[in-house]
Amino acid sequence: MLFFTTYKSELFASFILLVVLLIIRLIAKTLIRKIGHKAGINDARIHLISRYATVTLVLIWMLVETIIFGAQFKDLALVFSSVFAVIGIALFAIWSILSNITSGIIMFFNFPYKVGDKIMIHDKDFPIEAIIEDIAAFQLHLRMDNGDLVTYPNNLILQKPVTLLKKDAMLFPQDDGTDAV
């Protein structure tokens, strides 16, 4: 009980912070869902971007909590510099993964092509003409005309010129009612 009386104001501030961040999370998830449905993005990608927003809010909450409970800036600077040094070394090794995740987030909010569209990627070494089958966190799944599945990294799709060949192209041809003999 001594803990609650000693840290009454800090606990109250923590409660207020938690409520505010939960409200912000609810608003963010609602906005992400509305933007996603308006743009015709599938629910799995909407859920993924919502998780990214939640993780960001949790990190902000942890930072503000340490300040509420009296951590000094110099202490935080020491911790963050040490953590960022370790993370920096680790991220250098996996920069491609982070680049693809960041590209996936950018593609969620601003990507003119959707699942089902037939596109052409103008790559001088390996030009691709395919239908977008899925847009995942790290790569696009593209179905070639011959049936092959090509995975194309998100960061590269933002760097290459892309032409929309057919909006909402069908993944599989429809049966026209005639039977081949």
Side-chain angles (χ1 to χ4, degrees):
M1 199 55 150
L2 180 63
F3 176 79
F4 292 110
T5 56
T6 305
Y7 294 104
K8 182 193 278 186
S9 62
E10 289 87 352
L11 291 173
F12 182 71
S14 296
F15 176 75
I16 297 297
L17 174 67
L18 186 62
V19 169
V20 168
L21 287 179
L22 286 174
I23 291 170
I24 291 171
R25 179 178 177 258
L26 179 66
I27 293 169
K29 285 184 81 164
T30 303
L31 285 174
I32 290 168
R33 192 176 314 112
K34 284 183 181 181
I35 290 169
H37 287 303
K38 184 178 178 184
I41 296 171
N42 66 9
D43 288 335
R45 286 191 60 218
I46 292 170
H47 183 69
L48 181 69
I49 298 299
S50 293
R51 269 193 276 162
Y52 290 159
T54 299
V55 167
T56 302
L57 286 173
V58 166
L59 293 173
I60 291 170
W61 172 77
M62 288 172 38
L63 175 65
V64 175
E65 276 297 316
T66 58
I67 293 169
I68 287 173
F69 278 94
Q72 298 297 319
F73 180 73
K74 63 178 182 171
D75 298 333
L76 290 176
L78 177 66
V79 169
F80 280 117
S81 64
S82 300
V83 168
F84 283 133
V86 171
I87 290 175
I89 293 168
L91 294 184
F92 181 74
I94 59 169
W95 70 270
S96 177
I97 292 172
L98 290 176
S99 173
N100 284 317
I101 291 173
T102 304
S103 298
I105 293 170
I106 291 169
M107 289 169 54
F108 178 82
F109 290 106
N110 189 17
F111 190 59
Y113 314 111
K114 301 193 179 6
V115 172
D117 290 351
K118 186 168 187 172
I119 62 170
M120 176 180 231
I121 302 171
H122 301 278
D123 186 351
K124 70 175 187 168
D125 297 328
F126 186 62
I128 297 174
E129 185 175 314
I131 296 172
I132 300 174
E133 195 170 272
D134 189 21
I135 303 174
F138 299 103
Q139 74 271 340
L140 290 173
H141 294 173
L142 303 170
R143 185 66 64 179
M144 305 281 284
D145 289 336
N146 64 4
D148 290 346
L149 179 67
V150 175
T151 57
Y152 203 81
N154 286 343
N155 62 350
L156 291 182
I157 195 76
L158 293 179
Q159 297 174 13
K160 303 285 182 183
V162 177
T163 302
L164 177 64
L165 299 176
K166 188 172 181 186
K167 192 96 173 133
D168 294 325
M170 298 181 328
L171 292 175
F172 302 101
Q174 292 287 341
D175 186 12
D176 61 358
T178 60
D179 292 328
V181 180

